[in-house]
Amino acid sequence: MMRKLFKHTMSAALFLSAMSYSAHNAQAIELAADNCFAAGQQYAARQASTLVAAEATTQGGQNVCKVVILTQANNGERPKREVAYIPQ
């Protein structure tokens, strides 16, 4: 009986710990995404471009923001797509 109770208590503790860890990671990912969106907007504004996408990623072990922008071309040509990696 005692062994069964211990097993269920440990299972519940591990579950709650995993839930707390997941919530913390989700919050960290959301914060990184918000930071990348803001960094992408600033980058696009400096380039006189339009922000298409921004996401948090890693490159060479560093946390970076992958930013995709579109720059308007001259003479009615298609816009130029550019991908930039901005350190966080």
Side-chain angles (χ1 to χ4, degrees), residues 16-36:
L16 290 175
S17 176
M19 291 297 292
S20 174
Y21 182 76
S22 295
H24 176 71
N25 278 351
Q27 203 171 31
I29 290 169
E30 187 175 315
L31 181 60
D34 288 345
N35 289 343
C36 285

